[in-house]
Amino acid sequence: MRTLLVTGPGGSGTTAVASATALRAARDGARVRLITGDAAAEPPGVTVTRLTPADDFRADLLALQERAAAGLDLLGAARLDGDELTPLPGAAELALLRALRDSADGPDDLVVVDLPAAPRAVALLALPEQLRRYLRRLLPAERQAARALRPVLGRLAGVPMPAEWLYEAARRWDRELAAAQAVIDSDDTSVRLVVEPTEAGAETLRTTVAGLALHGLRLDAVLANRLLPDGSTDPWLADAAARQRKVIAAWQHETHGIAHLGRDPGPADLDVPPPPAAPVPAAPWPVEDRLADDGVLVWRIPLPGTVREELSLVRRGDELVIRAGPFRRIVPLPSAPRRCTVAGAGLVDGELCVRFAPDPDLWPHAR
């Protein structure tokens, strides 16, 4: 199964392009599913999974309330009724992650996902990894060994101790997040960016490409939407078209153009490229051994689109905290650099090079 994630700056036409991409693949004979929050998206021959974050949030909270019923009743808490529940911020993101997780078990050849606008979409795709890290820190599995003490603590405190169901809930959340992360990280998953060729669109494209690279996500294609035709006799249209071409010429990405139709297009109206025929390769993050020549190891991290002023780097234990523009990721160090100290870092041609010098107290000594 292939998964194609479609996003771009707000208002750039991502939902229309996602629907058109799903329709093209269906017409080519593929079994296609479109995941979207748009109530009007109904490309023929495509199975549509429509996101309902309000319903999902209500069902989840009522289920949690039922599991904690004994403790809530003991505390005299008033039960919440389903009719009074409204979704909190983040409900839409969790609904989309759940749909991604469920798509892995489906019969489809291609799943097209209509993501929120960038850069929010990048933050959404990074969410499973971040939440799983939080769960491991807050509820580490090794602490469950103390479960034999919970009845004693419960008697001392005088109230039931909900730790067992809390740990079980954490395990369930981790499994669900891991399933969503597996789809996002799969070799068969890639991102398609839809951008209107304006200066604002170009800036969002730059930062979004940097965020995708930071989180190891694969970029399939950049689609320049609503392109005006060349050669118009109208001076205003000719000038606007020239400005669009100038913006695109500065992009450092191969671009597919989609013509401006002068109206709201349907899925069958847009000339979109087909989904990738083969998996999009992930950019490697290699560790270069330069101990013999320079006495350092160099971890090379590709971050295209990142500028030096927006980049920061902090080592914390065996992890590296990297910030690129509005995006931040905490990544574990490879095994060899863990036994080193950071000797410096630099950004060269869109690549972050972090230098590590062996720590004499940790590095194996030659005999």
Side-chain angles (χ1 to χ4, degrees):
M1 184 194 75
R2 295 283 173 81
T3 303
L4 193 58
L5 310 168
V6 183
T7 187
S12 59
T14 55
T15 297
V17 169
S19 297
T21 303
L23 177 60
R24 169 161 185 169
R27 287 180 170 175
D28 290 340
R31 295 169 297 179
V32 184
R33 180 176 300 274
L34 173 65
I35 298 176
T36 181
D38 189 338
E42 288 287 354
V46 174
T47 303
V48 178
T49 295
R50 206 161 324 273
L51 300 176
T52 56
D55 294 341
D56 293 347
F57 173 79
R58 187 178 298 109
D60 288 345
L61 191 56
L62 290 176
L64 177 62
Q65 178 177 255
E66 190 62 30
R67 288 197 298 272
L72 293 174
D73 291 344
L74 184 65
L75 295 172
R79 297 288 190 94
L80 294 170
D81 187 77
D83 293 337
E84 64 181 300
L85 297 177
T86 56
L88 297 175
E93 285 81 357
L94 293 177
L96 197 148
L97 289 177
R98 177 174 293 173
L100 265 180
R101 177 203 67 192
D102 294 343
S103 70
D105 299 324
D108 309 294
D109 302 311
L110 174 70
V111 175
V112 180
V113 185
D114 178 19
L115 289 177
R120 179 181 159 209
V122 179
L124 166 66
L125 297 175
L127 194 56
E129 179 182 81
Q130 293 174 342
L131 291 179
R132 295 185 71 201
R133 182 179 181 276
Y134 298 157
L135 285 174
R136 290 193 297 270
R137 290 291 298 273
L138 294 173
L139 295 169
E142 56 269 19
R143 289 190 184 174
Q144 298 181 53
R147 63 166 57 95
L149 297 177
R150 290 177 194 145
V152 176
L153 294 175
R155 287 194 295 272
L156 291 175
V159 296
M161 301 297 289
E164 184 60 40
W165 71 260
L166 180 61
Y167 275 102
E168 178 53 41
R171 287 191 294 269
R172 185 177 66 256
W173 294 336
D174 185 72
R175 288 194 298 268
E176 295 179 357
L177 289 168
Q181 185 179 353
V183 175
I184 294 169
D185 293 343
S186 169
D187 293 342
D188 292 317
T189 297
S190 56
V191 180
R192 181 163 289 188
L193 293 180
V194 182
V195 186
E196 197 165 352
T198 63
E199 290 185 4
E203 179 62 15
T204 302
L205 172 64
R206 181 188 68 79
T207 57
T208 302
V209 167
L212 294 175
L214 176 62
H215 291 287
L217 301 168
R218 298 162 173 81
L219 178 61
D220 157 49
V222 175
L223 278 57
N225 197 18
R226 303 187 182 118
L227 281 183
L228 298 170
D230 286 326
S232 174
T233 57
D234 184 303
W236 185 89
L237 285 177
D239 181 64
R243 288 199 302 271
Q244 285 186 336
R245 296 317 190 271
K246 183 179 179 180
V247 169
I248 293 174
W251 293 353
Q252 298 178 350
H253 311 281
E254 185 176 347
T255 303
H256 178 94
I258 302 177
H260 197 309
L261 302 180
R263 54 181 171 81
D264 290 336
D269 299 326
L270 297 180
D271 178 22
V272 297
V280 177
W285 291 26
V287 176
E288 180 183 351
D289 185 348
R290 286 170 33 186
L291 292 173
D293 298 327
D294 303 320
V296 295
L297 301 172
V298 180
W299 195 13
R300 312 180 75 91
I301 303 174
L303 293 177
T306 304
V307 295
R308 186 173 287 103
E309 294 74 19
E310 297 178 351
L311 184 66
S312 69
L313 193 68
V314 177
R315 177 172 181 174
R316 188 170 63 192
D318 288 339
E319 296 177 322
L320 206 60
V321 184
I322 307 173
R323 183 182 63 83
F327 307 106
R328 178 175 175 270
R329 187 182 183 191
I330 302 176
V331 293
L333 291 172
S335 58
R338 290 183 186 182
R339 303 191 299 274
C340 301
T341 58
V342 176
L347 185 67
V348 181
D349 296 330
E351 185 177 62
L352 173 63
C353 299
V354 188
R355 298 184 300 278
F356 295 88
D359 186 337
D361 295 331
L362 300 175
W363 198 259
H365 297 281
R367 294 187 178 182

